[in-house]
Amino acid sequence: MPITATGRYFRDETGRRRILRGVNLSGASKVPAQPPGATHLPDSLNDPRHVSFIGRPFPLEEADEHFTRLKHWGLDCLRFIVTWEALAHAGPGCIDEAYLDYLHAVLEKAHAHGLLVFIDPHQDVWSRFCGGDGAPAWTFEALGMEIERFSETGAALLHQEQPDTFPQLMWATNYARYVCFTMFTLFFGGRDFAPQLQVDGQNIQDYLQGHYCAAYAELARRLRDLPNLLGFGSMNEPSPGLLGVPDLRSNDHALIKLGIVPSPAQAIFLANGFAQDCQDYGIPLVDRLPGQVKPARIDPQGATVWRDGFDDVWRAQGIWDVDSAGNPRMLRPGHFARADFLQDHLKPFTDRFASAIHAEMPAAFIFIEAEPMGPPPNYEDADRLVYAPHFYDGVTLLTRRFHPQLNFDFFSMRPLPGEAQIRRHLSQALGKFRHYADEALGEAPILIGEIGIPFDLNGGGAFRSGDFSRQAQALDYSLRALDDHLYSYTLWNYTPDNTNERGDQWNSEDLSIFSRDQQSDPADINSGGRALAAIARPYARKVAGDPLTMRYDRERGIFTFTFKHDSAISEPTEIFVPNLPFPDGYRVEVSDGEYEVDSEAQRVLYRHSDKDMPHMIRIVSNSPAPEELSPWGKLAMAAAVALVALALLRRLLRR
């Protein structure tokens, strides 16, 4: 393997600690290339067994262009998206061999460009047939579900049904809808909570997990000769479904409350044809105040998600039934309450997946996740495990608005006035992941698998002006917080076919750091990049010892890194220093030792002395630093923040 790990650090073949920086490739890999699968297309769910993902993330002939650009920006680690549907859309056990050939060819190109790769088995809300991406359509057919009825029964929300008016992040509310939570509950807990449900002679849990693991094991077999392949994620953002829900009659457990959010009991009744009066939370901070709820009725008019001859799986388990008056009644609302999702369900699945991958690639890392912002399962032996959680500035993601002096804590909606408070909040939130890893995995490495911002901020004004400075500010806040903890990360995301009109081609999202629509000069490697002032930043790529601190102040053009050397390492510390943010060049200051600047390779090589001391390297832009605000300027800024907050509150109250 090109990278190993000891404790919390990745290491190269010389023992230098590696900090990995990269990108998810790509957002559009969630949907087929042929026929075009972009979610705004009403017919993109037709004929699900006859699709192809060849060309995702891009046609093979474009690989050199995109890989050269990413390497130039310092993003040399790829979280490479491969959905279960992409591998096995034609049916259980039917692997798309031509797609595997394509993937091998693309990742060979990545190796030629010096890019490291790990595979991300991506899913969102289970499958694109219930509002997200991931699982193939035949997983529903195995249960007797009718895909065409998901929308009319309220069992799933689909972008295809409202291509031009689908609210941001509304897709995520499918976790509270019937199809998604049923599939996840059965995938992780079928043996315990639906023991009689058999498919092809197996319990539904074994049937689904078996086909999932086998598909990715076959991918591992086909790619195992690639020297740049680090390993596999186990599953993107796995959901517990109903496992651990204390009361099926309440929606208090729902992580995201946007629009209409039925309780699990209501969602079950809706999927079986019974009208329900639900709660509509709207879009907090956009069309109403947080916590402001209105009633909303959903009436499937007797339609159900089941094909003829099939009945509801939860009714068969005695969780609910219909009374003598024909009304649905929940009989066991606490049926799933005692389930320990992390230890009793997610961990055994992760172990099963890891065993399948290690049978083909014994040295592969397994990048594990849990629910967003949550801890992973506990492992006594975390060998070859990497904790790969995700983080987003939730309010910026939800509202597609950003002000550098005013933000909110996404969960408490506590206001965060001023840059210092915002930065402190982001750093503290990200710091929890180190605590989680230490508690559950020991000193396992951490790689933040997803972090990013929406580029259509403030009504997409940057698409017209070409000025992405506000996006750069928003992203820099998060990236500086990552530097506080010396984390490796892969940005979400790079979508080669991103457009101003349709973003990343999936559920109205637009988080790609590149867009053809912003590419005015194809001969310029940076043309088409968005918020490069934040993305193309210095960092310590290879460290001859243990990193201590790292900070990049992009406004002042100053990068500072300190570390404690390891006497067993003879190779120099390597700092990636992009030329883009230093148009007038830079000077290098060191605490001791000597250095070499290689501007063509965009790096500084630093050889420390043998002194037993923290070593420091400082890179300072030759461009003049911006002037500091005067006390009066700072007062005016504070007043502006207060006015923005007041205007926001008044607008919400009027609505």
Side-chain angles (χ1 to χ4, degrees), residues 16 152 214 219 236 264 274 276 365 367 439 450 485 499 525:
R16 286 178 294 184
E152 67 177 306
L219 179 59
N236 178 73
F274 298 96
Q276 296 293 302
F365 286 114
F367 295 77
E439 288 288 316
E450 291 184 19
H485 303 284
T499 67
I525 197 169

Side-chain angles (χ1 to χ4, degrees), residues 129-319:
F129 301 96
C130 54
D133 58 273
W138 53 261
T139 60
F140 305 110
E141 296 167 3
L143 290 172
M145 289 187 183
E146 192 72 71
I147 291 173
E148 290 77 10
R149 298 180 191 166
F150 288 174
S151 182
E152 67 177 306
T153 58
L157 295 176
L158 304 177
H159 187 202
Q160 289 84 350
E161 298 290 334
Q162 40 181 322
D164 298 314
T165 58
F166 203 61
Q168 176 74 346
L169 271 185
M170 189 58 71
W171 64 266
T173 64
N174 278 303
Y175 282 113
R177 298 284 176 145
Y178 180 84
V179 176
C180 176
F181 69 57
T182 292
M183 296 306 300
F184 271 115
T185 304
L186 296 173
F187 183 89
F188 286 114
R191 286 199 300 269
D192 291 337
F193 294 98
Q196 292 83 33
L197 183 53
Q198 303 282 308
V199 179
D200 289 352
Q202 305 177 77
N203 179 266
I204 184 63
Q205 176 180 336
D206 295 315
Y207 175 82
L208 293 172
Q209 287 191 14
H211 281 295
Y212 179 93
C213 293
Y216 286 101
E218 177 61 17
L219 179 59
R221 188 185 70 81
R222 291 291 296 274
L223 301 181
R224 64 188 176 189
D225 65 309
L226 295 171
N228 59 328
L229 183 60
L230 298 179
F232 283 71
S234 52
M235 177 183 285
N236 178 73
E237 298 184 357
S239 169
L242 297 176
L243 302 175
V245 172
D247 187 340
L248 298 177
R249 298 165 298 186
S250 170
N251 63 16
D252 289 344
H253 70 283
L255 184 64
I256 295 179
K257 294 181 180 178
L258 304 176
I260 301 173
V261 182
S263 69
Q266 289 175 321
I268 291 171
F269 298 156
L270 286 167
N272 287 279
F274 298 96
Q276 296 293 302
D277 293 312
C278 305
Q279 293 180 311
D280 184 353
Y281 292 84
I283 312 296
L285 293 179
V286 176
D287 65 1
R288 67 186 65 176
L289 291 169
Q292 204 172 43
V293 180
K294 298 179 180 179
R297 185 170 181 80
I298 304 177
D299 186 357
Q301 298 185 6
T304 79
V305 298
W306 303 103
R307 299 202 310 264
D308 291 344
F310 290 86
D311 197 5
D312 182 71
V313 296
W314 305 126
R315 188 178 184 183
Q317 305 307 312
I319 294 172

Side-chain angles (χ1 to χ4, degrees), residues 396 400-402 453-463 470-471 474:
T396 299
R400 292 191 252 196
R401 295 285 187 274
F402 175 78
I453 58 153
F455 281 91
D456 53 347
L457 289 178
N458 304 330
F463 301 157
R470 186 53 60 92
Q471 285 85 344

Side-chain angles (χ1 to χ4, degrees), residues 539-561:
Y539 71 95
R541 178 183 275 156
K542 303 175 183 179
V543 184
D546 292 341
L548 297 175
T549 64
M550 182 162 61
R551 179 172 180 177
Y552 175 50
D553 185 333
R554 71 180 186 92
E555 288 83 6
R556 299 170 61 203
I558 300 175
F559 171 80
T560 307
F561 177 68

